[in-house]
Amino acid sequence: MSNAVLLIDNHVKMKIFNILHKRSGLALLTLAVISLSLVSCRKEKDTIARVTVIDEASGLPVGGATVTLYGEPSDTLYEANEIYLRDSTDTDASGVATFNFSGYFELGQAGFAVLTVDVTRSGVLNQSIAVMKVEEEITNELTVEVP
């Protein structure tokens, strides 16, 4: 073979390689965009905690009670001021206090929180009357009785 044929042959090989490389790069880019759009389409559902407060003597709902949910450290090395999740709200006329923790949950996170429940009724604090496991992206419900 002559040098001219080898040069043309190498030139053709380089053109073919460049075309295939550009097309495979485009294919990979397209695949990446489609994959990301499918993953990002998933919308986070609300993470709700609903606590119903019932009078233990009458069995009737307690409206106007203050329900506080808060996390406690599982390790005694933590200080009390290191607890980041604490929220309070009053019960409605049907004795229900609703908390929306959607802003705290991140997609891909495993689990959400186990929270201690306090209820203040007529100025009397009923401390640590229950523990509530709050699972992500669902409505979690708990009923507590207070004196």
Side-chain angles (χ1 to χ4, degrees):
M1 271 195 193
S2 71
N3 286 342
V5 174
L6 284 176
L7 286 176
I8 292 172
D9 192 32
N10 285 338
H11 181 69
V12 171
K13 285 180 185 177
M14 285 304 291
K15 276 196 167 223
I16 291 171
F17 174 77
N18 286 336
I19 290 170
L20 290 176
H21 189 279
K22 285 179 185 176
R23 286 190 181 166
S24 65
L26 181 59
L28 285 174
L29 178 63
T30 303
L31 182 62
V33 168
I34 290 171
S35 297
L36 287 174
S37 67
L38 290 176
V39 171
S40 64
C41 286
R42 183 173 173 321
K43 299 285 183 190
E44 176 184 333
K45 297 175 188 170
D46 287 340
T47 299
I48 304 292
R50 186 175 292 143
V51 179
T52 302
V53 180
I54 304 292
D55 180 277
E56 69 182 6
S58 69
L60 296 173
V62 177
T66 301
V67 178
T68 303
L69 299 180
Y70 57 95
E72 293 189 90
S74 57
D75 189 334
T76 56
L77 296 176
Y78 291 97
E79 298 295 322
N81 62 356
E82 292 186 58
I83 299 172
Y84 299 105
L85 186 58
R86 182 181 195 90
D87 199 3
S88 296
T89 193
D90 292 337
T91 57
D92 59 18
S94 60
V96 177
T98 304
F99 300 84
N100 187 336
F101 293 116
S102 299
Y104 296 97
F105 172 72
E106 297 292 329
L107 283 174
Q109 177 179 331
F112 180 67
V114 176
L115 303 173
T116 301
V117 181
D118 290 352
V119 177
T120 303
R121 177 185 187 195
S122 302
V124 177
L125 173 64
N126 298 281
Q127 193 169 18
S128 304
I129 62 170
V131 174
M132 182 176 197
K133 179 180 179 184
V134 180
E135 295 181 42
E136 67 279 2
E137 298 186 282
I138 64 169
T139 297
N140 302 269
E141 299 197 43
L142 175 71
T143 299
V144 296
E145 294 182 348
V146 293

